[in-house]
Amino acid sequence: MTDRFQFTLNATDGAARTGVIDTPRGQIRTPAFMPVGTAATVKAMMPESVRETGADILLGNTYHLMLRPGAERVDRLGGLHRFMNWDRPILTDSGGFQVMSLASLRKLTEEGVTFASHIDGSKHVLTPERSMEIQRLLGSDIVMAFDECPALPASEEEVANSMRLSMRWAQRSRDAFGDRPGHALFGIMQGGVTRDLREESAKALTGIGFDGYAVGGLAVGEGQEAMFGVLDYAPGFLPQDKPRYLMGVGKPDDIVGAVQRGIDMMDCVLPSRSGRTGQAWTRRGQVNIKNARHQDDPRPLDENCTCPACRSYSRGYLHHVFRAGEMISGMLLTWHNLHYYQELMAGLRAAIAEGRLDGFVADFHAARAEGDIEPLA
Amino acid sequence: MTDRFQFTLNATDGAARTGVIDTPRGQIRTPAFMPVGTAATVKAMMPESVRETGADILLGNTYHLMLRPGAERVDRLGGLHRFMNWDRPILTDSGGFQVMSLASLRKLTEEGVTFASHIDGSKHVLTPERSMEIQRLLGSDIVMAFDECPALPASEEEVANSMRLSMRWAQRSRDAFGDRPGHALFGIMQGGVTRDLREESAKALTGIGFDGYAVGGLAVGEGQEAMFGVLDYAPGFLPQDKPRYLMGVGKPDDIVGAVQRGIDMMDCVLPSRSGRTGQAWTRRGQVNIKNARHQDDPRPLDENCTCPACRSYSRGYLHHVFRAGEMISGMLLTWHNLHYYQELMAGLRAAIAEGRLDGFVADFHAARAEGDIEPLA
């Protein structure tokens, strides 16, 4: 254990990196996938089970938690870790992205953003200073700078203006965060798909100085090709010795491509959300358990998977409980999906450490190209 | 382990009894509470967690399982135990009660009952013979005879006619069940709240001969006083050396009163259903976690309880996740409720074994009279 936040890079393979982030609450092995616990719970999962999948760190959403139950209340109840029974690291986003995507009656000024809650319409204000305060009250281990992400489509000028506002907010976030040993503050690079803007943003952030750097403004509808296009150069603008976090990504092949391009951390609701809608992710790609072809199938989702859903339940059962609307459907499929994601990350880490990432990625794509197992005759 | 179904009475205290039912799939300690796994899942629970609460046996619903996924399908997938990943004993009801309470377009004849599925309107037939077949396909360890339970209010004549039909169906169930070593068939006493009819029903059943006897037609809206009135005499009409099962009961004080009157087994959806609607059962009575008074409360539901919800979560958290509609709310409260129920059963068994049931029951009522803990100032 350490009382400091510290990133150690252990190996690289091409642009890809593997290492460890030491924090007072435990180690984060990178590349890391962070399950999303939006409202102080990873939906359908007990936190012990999330840990069993291999997750080292969770993500919490500042926007949701500030509205319900409220950051001051979480603080009074002992902080987010105690509140949700997760004693390992937690990263909280800044609230900026969710305000833009979920809240209504938004008003953006240099100072910050005012908005109406999507839950009850109540009025709220988020500024860099308030975002830092909320994330401190939550007890977040990795705090994200408050940023603005323009809705797509946006002109290059809009993207540039938004990025520069985010950079001024990054400085205010840094100032408001202060000195909190054992806690980290990450800056967020913006600039859309424009290389010059990405470079300008990276320079602004590294000039301020952060404990880690996120690549923001991707995975917002631009498509995988455009995202990989940015990731071909953007991580290179960031310091080698700090973790790089790609926000809101993604599907398994997005994750693999991002890791190949030098990303260390990712988060996404996809594995848990898919689990609640009958979608399973396996090494052979996506399986829709709703499909009637599974109803008499005694085989597990993936005979090579060691998660509880695959160890103990048939596709026939998983199909049945999904159709019957039973909670165990979401519980088992979410567990499977999170297990698969963490297994993928472990595979990526090992491959990078052993200098065989290209082979690992080729195998990954070959298994997906095979597709799901054939239906029973 | 045994290859037979066998009940051993170990001790009595007044009318109350404690013992063990040995089955090839494991022991059932009595008095036993059976959580309900209607559609091949105890809602919101993993089966391993149900076992952790101390449950020795689950109940499955023939009516639901015959409609979805279908008994033949469960059989093809290895039987209900394997299907739902529960290798301990399972009792299945006969379907009769649920047809009456859930299905539409019912038509009752001497032969059986035709009805339309509440799921998709499809037509189905249940007879004593088909009920035995379905329960065999499911692989049930304790099979219930097919019976009819008249809707209340019913005249004494209607109750008598219905009871006599159920007794003829009991004989047909016995004949259709045949000889299945290691599996048990229970008869179901009917007769409403009329002592003579209960006695007539018991005589008919014991004349046929069953491995256990249920007291049916109670907990259907007659009220606790009327139910206890029947239980003051009805168990005495049944053989001492066979288990006695009170169907569909109940609240904790119903359970205590039934055990005092000589009941060995019970089942009820209440602990799991309550758990999904924000209702917790504790030794101090019922707690409504929805209530705003819990929102800042750092204390557990019950500081003496060792379930996961009480060990690791505050009332403030449980309130939050209920209000936010998070699945973990139902998961934690169901676990707590089932844990509390099983702890109550363990307490009853120990008290009977040690001849101190009266003291146990007095303490039980005293704790409930105290009520839930005071709100924080």
Side-chain angles (χ1 to χ4, degrees), chain B residues 225-244:
Chain B
E225 197 181 345
M227 179 172 82
F228 283 174
V230 173
L231 293 180
D232 282 336
Y233 57 77
F237 298 148
L238 296 171
Q240 181 77 358
D241 63 346
K242 300 290 182 192
R244 302 165 183 164

Side-chain angles (χ1 to χ4, degrees), chain B residues 171-187:
Chain B
Q171 180 67 60
R172 284 168 57 191
S173 295
R174 176 81 267 177
D175 295 344
F177 181 81
D179 185 31
R180 299 180 60 212
H183 297 262
L185 178 64
F186 281 24

Side-chain angles (χ1 to χ4, degrees), chain A residues 293-333:
Chain A
R293 77 181 180 89
H294 303 297
Q295 68 185 353
D296 283 306
D297 199 330
R299 297 171 298 181
L301 263 177
D302 183 342
E303 69 277 15
N304 285 10
C305 179
T306 59
C307 86
C310 291
R311 272 203 320 263
S312 304
Y313 299 92
S314 61
R315 288 175 178 230
Y317 182 80
L318 296 173
H319 174 82
H320 163 66
V321 288
F322 180 83
R323 299 286 283 216
E326 292 289 349
M327 286 171 70
I328 200 169
S329 173
M331 293 160 68
L332 288 172
L333 288 185

Side-chain angles (χ1 to χ4, degrees), chain A residues 80-318:
Chain A
L80 185 56
H81 295 83
R82 179 164 177 184
F83 187 60
M84 70 183 292
N85 189 30
W86 174 265
D87 63 4
R88 291 180 173 271
I90 294 176
L91 179 149
T92 45
D93 63 11
S94 69
F97 180 75
Q98 255 92 19
V99 166
M100 292 303 150
S101 57
L102 293 175
S104 56
L105 303 174
R106 295 182 301 273
K107 196 179 159 215
L108 178 71
T109 67
E110 181 68 29
E111 176 62 17
V113 55
T114 59
F115 61 94
S117 159
H118 74 290
I119 299 170
D120 61 7
S122 56
K123 286 290 208 132
H124 296 267
V125 180
L126 262 181
T127 62
E129 293 75 19
R130 177 61 181 156
S131 178
M132 294 305 104
E133 183 180 26
I134 290 170
Q135 293 181 76
R136 181 182 58 73
L137 289 166
L138 296 175
S140 174
D141 302 284
I142 302 182
V143 170
M144 299 305 295
F146 188 63
D147 68 333
E148 205 255 328
C149 183
L152 294 185
S155 69
E156 196 172 307
E157 192 189 343
E158 288 169 323
V159 171
N161 288 338
S162 167
M163 179 273 284
R164 286 166 194 145
L165 175 64
S166 286
M167 296 305 102
R168 295 190 295 276
W169 285 0
Q171 180 67 60
R172 283 169 56 191
S173 295
R174 176 81 267 179
D175 295 343
F177 180 81
D179 185 32
R180 299 180 58 210
H183 297 263
L185 178 64
F186 280 24
I188 305 176
M189 178 207 279
Q190 292 290 353
V193 295
T194 306
R195 185 181 173 118
D196 288 350
L197 294 179
R198 288 279 170 187
E199 188 164 15
E200 179 187 332
S201 180
K203 280 188 178 151
L205 293 175
T206 51
I208 298 168
F210 288 93
D211 304 301
Y213 296 87
V215 182
L218 293 180
V220 291
E222 75 283 359
Q224 191 188 69
E225 197 181 344
M227 179 173 81
F228 284 175
V230 173
L231 293 179
D232 282 336
Y233 56 77
F237 297 149
L238 296 171
Q240 182 77 357
D241 63 347
K242 301 289 182 190
R244 302 166 184 163
Y245 163 31
L246 179 60
M247 306 178 81
V249 170
K251 293 186 185 173
D253 57 329
D254 295 330
I255 287 176
V256 168
V259 166
Q260 287 183 290
R261 290 165 175 83
I263 293 297
D264 305 306
M265 304 165 70
M266 277 155 288
D267 77 282
C268 193
V269 296
L270 191 67
S272 41
R273 180 172 293 166
S274 298
R276 299 195 305 285
T277 57
Q279 305 292 321
W281 295 91
T282 77
R283 63 202 161 87
R284 291 194 182 95
Q286 209 169 350
V287 178
N288 184 348
I289 205 67
K290 290 178 277 196
N291 195 304
R293 77 181 180 89
H294 303 297
Q295 68 185 353
D296 283 306
D297 199 330
R299 297 171 298 181
L301 263 177
D302 183 342
E303 69 277 15
N304 285 10
C305 179
T306 59
C307 86
C310 291
R311 272 203 320 263
S312 304
Y313 299 92
S314 61
R315 288 175 178 230
Y317 182 80
L318 296 173

Side-chain angles (χ1 to χ4, degrees), chain A residues 39-41 43-45 47 68-69 73 76 83 85 295-296 298 312-313 317 320 323-324 326-328 331, chain B residues 39-41 43-45 47 68-69 73 76-77 83 85 295-296 298 312-313 317 320 323-324 326-328 331:
Chain A
T41 167
K43 292 182 198 299
M45 294 287 285
R68 185 173 58 194
R73 174 165 291 130
R76 285 196 297 274
F83 187 60
N85 189 30
Q295 68 185 353
D296 283 306
S312 304
Y313 299 92
Y317 182 80
H320 163 66
R323 299 286 283 216
E326 292 289 349
M327 286 171 70
I328 200 169
M331 293 160 68
Chain B
T41 167
K43 292 181 197 301
M45 294 287 285
R68 185 172 58 193
R73 175 164 291 131
R76 284 196 298 275
L77 288 167
F83 187 60
N85 189 30
Q295 69 184 352
D296 282 308
S312 304
Y313 299 92
Y317 182 79
H320 163 66
R323 299 285 284 217
E326 293 288 349
M327 287 171 69
I328 200 171
M331 293 160 68

Side-chain angles (χ1 to χ4, degrees), chain B residues 290-366:
Chain B
K290 289 178 279 195
N291 195 304
R293 77 181 180 89
H294 303 297
Q295 69 184 352
D296 282 308
D297 199 329
R299 297 172 297 182
L301 264 177
D302 183 342
E303 71 276 15
N304 285 10
C305 178
T306 59
C307 86
C310 291
R311 271 201 323 261
S312 304
Y313 299 92
S314 61
R315 289 177 177 229
Y317 182 79
L318 296 173
H319 173 83
H320 163 66
V321 288
F322 180 83
R323 299 285 284 217
E326 293 288 349
M327 287 171 69
I328 200 171
S329 173
M331 293 160 68
L332 288 173
L333 289 186
T334 301
W335 197 326
H336 168 82
N337 286 344
L338 291 177
H339 179 101
Y340 170 69
Y341 266 61
Q342 294 298 341
E343 198 170 65
L344 176 61
M345 302 317 293
L348 287 164
R349 290 193 295 265
I352 297 165
E354 296 162 19
R356 52 177 178 78
L357 182 60
D358 286 350
F360 181 89
V361 173
D363 291 347
F364 168 82
H365 288 295

